[in-house]
Amino acid sequence: MGYDMSLIFLGCVAAAGLGVNLLCLAIYLSCLCCCRKDEEEEESKKSNSCCVTWAAVAAGLICCVAVGVGFYGNSETNDGVYQLTYSLYNANHTLAGVDSLVTGTVGGMQGGLNEHLSRLGEIFAARGDFVQRLQFMQQMSENIMKQLLGLPDWEKAKVDLAAIADQTAYVEYYRWLTYLLILILDLVICLAACLGLAKQSRWLLTTMMVCGVLTLILSWASLGADVATAVGTSDFCVAPDKFLMNQTKDVISSDIVHYYLYCSQTLPNPFQQSLTVFQRSLTTMQIQIQGLLQFAVPLFPTAERDLLSIQHLLNNSEASLHQLTALLDCRGLNKDYLDALIGVCYDGVEGLLYLCLFSLLAACAFSVMLCAIPRAWRQIANRDRDYDDIDDGDPFNPQSRRMMSHRSEQGNMHSFCSYSSSMGSQTSLHPPTQAVTNAPLNQSALFGGNPRYENVPLIGRGSPPPSYSPTMRATYLSMTEDQIRHYGEDFRA
């Protein structure tokens, strides 16, 4: 219980780190909103823009590195857990095979062998020496069953291993999927925040700021879980043998567990005596069957069928003995045990450490992003405010240019009339009628024969042609009446 509390304490440390991080961000945002003056903003606008740009670049790079580290750590952890579950399933298969062989051999001895021996006892009732051989074989079969039943009960251990493997595989699948979604989410939020900074979109930056806060909380939570899991796994890897002996002391004897954990040639095989007795009993029974087939069948032909059935049963038992000897050898289970340790203590712990690094880098990246977004948002607001302060009639105002492009469909004659009405009262220039009617030049020929320009005087209109630039228009409007009159006389001449 105390050890579990220590792991929970590590998670609380990560929660405290999250609180400190959020507190620092809150203080920074408060200072940004309250302590800056408008004059300082105007003077340092260019430097602030550079700071926001570099902060966005730093946050993007850190986020990309964090996502790469996270993908690698998630893959390594998944490989380690897969190796663990694979080894558990192999060990479970080995123990299941041992249990199947023991059960089949004992069942064959108790069922088929006893039945054949009972019939042979009735057939050989007249021959006492044959009956003694049958009784001797009965004792050998009971001895074999005693040795097999003396083996450890692997059924409980087999079920526990299968349950552990199934539960581990189930948890690992959802852990891997969750981290994969977190990695994709971090990358999408980072890219969206960079897009918002590039587009200077306030609503996108606001949305990414909220998502960044949630992702920051998620990063610290994953850091606490990864640290607690890595510490617990590392403690197991310090002394895995002792841990397993404590867990199996109520199921299997300690000498058997010790034999499989270390698998040294100097260690005695705890099953050697039972297997030797099994082998000798089978050999003795086969010798007795061979003698009965040789001497009893000529006298009792009806006993041949039962004797051949017993011989077949003994041959199958001998095959089971060889398989049982191979399965009970320590090398198979010890290999599975070492593979599981490598998967957990090397790939698994390494992957967890990389995931811890990913969580730290992600927290740093989103902290920098949360510091840069409010500055960018404020710069965008200041830019819009500066545009609002510009006169709508200013031709260099982007909003005015958009409005002018929208009104361009009204044609050039509208501008002529508008300026004519405004300039008529200022210049009071009205060209004489005879200057238009008695013009020596053909205006139709002068304007390319376009009837739209015929009988349209240009003097005294008060507005330059629409092809004039705003600077030329201002120059024209600043001319005196004498200059305009002189310009008209030169034009008539």
Side-chain angles (χ1 to χ4, degrees):
M1 186 64 181
Y3 184 77
D4 295 337
M5 292 302 296
S6 64
L7 295 180
I8 295 175
F9 175 75
L10 292 176
C12 294
V13 170
L18 172 62
V20 173
N21 193 356
L22 293 178
L23 180 61
C24 293
L25 288 175
I27 294 174
Y28 170 78
L29 294 177
S30 300
C31 294
L32 183 65
C33 294
C34 301
C35 299
R36 292 187 58 186
K37 297 181 180 180
D38 295 337
E39 293 81 3
E40 296 177 353
E41 293 177 3
E42 296 295 333
E43 294 176 357
S44 61
K45 184 181 296 183
K46 184 176 180 180
S47 61
N48 288 337
S49 178
C50 293
C51 292
V52 170
T53 302
W54 283 110
V57 171
L61 291 177
I62 295 174
C63 185
C64 291
V65 172
V67 170
V69 171
F71 271 110
Y72 179 76
N74 195 33
S75 178
E76 284 294 307
T77 305
N78 185 67
D79 291 341
V81 176
Y82 173 78
Q83 192 169 356
L84 170 64
T85 55
Y86 183 78
S87 300
L88 289 177
Y89 283 127
N90 279 344
N92 180 75
H93 179 72
T94 300
L95 298 179
V98 171
D99 182 73
S100 176
L101 290 174
V102 171
T103 303
T105 303
V106 172
M109 292 291 178
Q110 290 179 345
L113 183 62
N114 292 333
E115 181 180 354
H116 291 302
L117 290 177
S118 299
R119 277 201 298 265
L120 288 174
E122 295 177 358
I123 296 174
F124 296 153
R127 294 291 303 265
D129 53 344
F130 293 162
V131 173
Q132 288 180 357
R133 289 192 177 189
L134 294 178
Q135 292 176 354
F136 183 70
M137 293 176 61
Q138 182 70 33
Q139 293 177 359
M140 292 296 101
S141 66
E142 292 176 356
N143 195 15
I144 290 175
M145 288 187 291
K146 181 180 178 180
Q147 298 300 324
L148 292 176
L149 294 176
L151 295 176
D153 186 9
W154 301 102
E155 184 68 24
K156 187 175 182 180
K158 175 176 71 70
V159 173
D160 290 341
L161 288 179
I164 292 173
D166 292 338
Q167 186 177 4
T168 303
Y170 177 81
V171 173
E172 170 58 20
Y173 172 75
Y174 285 101
R175 186 211 62 80
W176 174 83
L177 183 61
T178 301
Y179 265 99
L180 183 63
L181 295 177
I182 291 175
L183 291 169
I184 296 174
L185 179 64
D186 288 354
L187 189 59
V188 169
I189 291 176
C190 183
L191 294 178
C194 293
L195 180 63
L197 291 173
K199 290 288 187 178
Q200 295 186 349
S201 175
R202 284 189 289 179
W203 70 268
L204 185 57
L205 290 178
T206 303
T207 304
M208 291 304 104
M209 189 170 183
V210 175
C211 294
V213 173
L214 296 177
T215 309
L216 185 64
I217 296 173
L218 189 61
S219 298
W220 281 101
S222 64
L223 177 61
D226 293 336
V227 169
T229 306
V231 170
T233 307
S234 301
D235 292 339
F236 164 77
C237 294
V238 171
D241 301 337
K242 183 178 179 181
F243 176 80
L244 290 177
M245 292 185 72
N246 291 332
Q247 293 294 320
T248 58
K249 62 183 179 180
D250 296 332
V251 180
I252 305 172
S253 62
S254 59
D255 57 340
I256 296 177
V257 178
H258 193 271
Y259 169 72
Y260 284 113
L261 292 181
Y262 298 101
C263 193
S264 176
Q265 294 181 356
T266 59
L267 294 175
N269 188 345
F271 310 108
Q272 186 63 44
Q273 183 178 359
S274 299
L275 295 176
T276 301
V277 173
F278 188 4
Q279 177 67 46
R280 290 176 179 177
S281 300
L282 279 179
T283 303
T284 303
M285 293 177 67
Q286 288 175 345
I287 294 174
Q288 297 297 327
I289 290 296
Q290 288 292 335
L292 291 175
L293 286 173
Q294 184 178 1
F295 298 105
V297 170
L299 299 177
F300 304 96
T302 57
E304 183 179 7
R305 181 178 179 181
D306 291 320
L307 290 174
L308 292 176
S309 299
I310 293 176
Q311 188 179 35
H312 180 70
L313 179 62
L314 293 177
N315 291 334
N316 291 336
S317 300
E318 186 176 8
S320 299
L321 172 63
H322 294 306
Q323 296 179 12
L324 188 61
T325 303
L327 291 177
L328 289 176
D329 188 77
C330 65
R331 287 173 293 182
L333 290 177
N334 183 259
K335 181 181 181 301
D336 295 333
Y337 170 66
L338 294 178
D339 290 342
L341 284 184
I342 292 174
V344 173
C345 299
Y346 288 92
D347 294 340
V349 173
E350 181 184 2
L352 289 174
L353 293 178
Y354 276 108
L355 288 178
C356 292
L357 180 60
F358 153 72
S359 299
L360 283 176
L361 291 176
C364 293
F366 285 104
S367 297
V368 174
M369 187 182 72
L370 292 176
C371 292
I373 286 179
R375 285 180 174 271
W377 197 91
R378 191 166 185 174
Q379 287 181 6
I380 295 172
N382 292 334
R383 183 199 63 181
D384 293 342
R385 183 183 62 190
D386 294 339
Y387 283 157
D388 292 338
D389 293 339
I390 299 175
D391 187 9
D392 293 338
D394 189 356
F396 296 99
N397 184 6
Q399 297 179 358
S400 177
R401 281 183 289 180
R402 288 193 294 267
M403 295 174 62
M404 291 174 63
S405 63
H406 177 70
R407 297 174 180 175
S408 61
E409 298 178 356
Q410 297 179 1
N412 295 328
M413 293 302 296
H414 177 72
S415 62
F416 290 163
C417 297
S418 63
Y419 277 96
S420 175
S421 62
S422 62
M423 291 300 299
S425 60
Q426 296 179 7
T427 60
S428 300
L429 293 179
H430 299 283
T433 308
Q434 63 273 14
V436 178
T437 57
N438 297 327
L441 297 176
N442 188 356
Q443 296 181 5
S444 177
L446 180 65
F447 292 98
N450 191 345
R452 198 174 47 156
Y453 297 101
E454 293 183 0
N455 299 325
V456 180
L458 297 178
I459 306 303
R461 299 297 287 178
S463 174
S467 61
Y468 281 12
S469 65
T471 304
M472 297 175 65
R473 180 181 299 171
T475 303
Y476 180 79
L477 294 178
S478 64
M479 295 171 62
T480 61
E481 295 181 0
D482 294 337
Q483 292 174 338
I484 296 174
R485 185 179 299 108
H486 179 68
Y487 177 78
E489 290 175 358
D490 291 340
F491 180 76
R492 288 194 299 272

